[in-house]
Amino acid sequence: MSDQTPLPTLPVTFRPGRTRAILLTAGVAIFLVISGIAMLLEQLGPGERLSFVITGALIFWALAQLARVKVVADETGVTVVNIASKRHLAWAEILQVNLRPGDPWVFLNLSDGTSLPALGIQPGIAKEHAIADAKTLRALAEAHSMRDLP
C-alpha cells in the first residue's frame, strides 16, 4: 500500500452520514408539515386530505432513495448501492478508486473499461471524511488485488 492507510475489518460500509441525516430529517419534516396542513385545512374533503398525505409520503420516499446510497466492502468484493441501482463487484473487477478534486463522488474504474460512480462516498458536506473513506477503499482494493495475484 502506497499511503499506508490502515485496513478496516471487513465488512465495512461507507455512506455519507451527514448528508443522509439531513435528507431523512428533511423528509420527515416535509411529510409532517404537508400532512399537518392537510388536517388543519377544514375546507378539504377526505380525498383532498389523502392526496396531501400521499404527496408528503412521495417526497419522503424520494429523499429516502437519495439517502440510501452506500458502498459495502466485504471479503468477496464491493457492493455499490446508488439511487436507483445496486451492483456487486468482485475485487478483481476494480482497477482503480478515484476521488479527484471537484468530483461529486468516488468513481471506480473497472476491468471492463467502464467507470462506476459510487455515490456512497461523496465529499459534499464532509470532505475530509470522504477523502479518508476513498483512501480506505483504495487501500482495500489494492490489498485484495495483490492477494489475488498468482
Side-chain angles (χ1 to χ4, degrees):
M1 278 183 309
S2 58
D3 59 6
Q4 298 302 316
T5 300
L7 295 178
T9 304
L10 295 178
V12 63
T13 300
F14 305 100
R15 66 174 71 221
R18 290 181 189 162
T19 302
R20 178 179 165 83
I22 290 168
L23 288 169
L24 292 175
T25 302
V28 168
I30 290 168
F31 174 75
L32 291 174
V33 167
I34 290 175
S35 297
I37 290 170
M39 299 307 145
L40 292 174
L41 292 176
E42 295 175 6
Q43 69 269 27
L44 296 180
E48 294 166 319
R49 289 179 199 261
L50 181 61
S51 69
F52 269 71
V53 173
I54 290 172
T55 300
L58 287 173
I59 292 170
F60 173 79
W61 177 83
L63 293 174
Q65 290 300 105
L66 293 172
R68 75 186 273 265
V69 298
K70 65 183 175 180
V71 176
V72 180
D74 61 27
E75 287 298 330
T76 65
V78 174
T79 302
V80 177
V81 179
N82 287 334
I83 295 167
S85 66
K86 179 178 179 178
R87 182 170 174 192
H88 181 76
L89 303 163
W91 286 110
E93 292 179 79
I94 303 170
L95 300 179
Q96 193 174 26
V97 177
N98 288 318
L99 179 60
R100 297 175 299 258
D103 280 351
W105 40 71
V106 163
F107 288 91
L108 305 177
N109 291 340
L110 306 179
S111 59
D112 65 2
T114 63
S115 180
L116 177 68
L119 280 64
I121 303 174
Q122 49 182 266
I125 296 173
K127 185 176 181 178
E128 295 79 21
H129 185 70
I131 291 169
D133 284 353
K135 285 181 179 178
T136 301
L137 184 58
R138 183 179 300 128
L140 284 167
E142 289 173 1
H144 281 84
S145 67
M146 284 190 244
R147 185 187 72 183
D148 293 342
L149 291 176

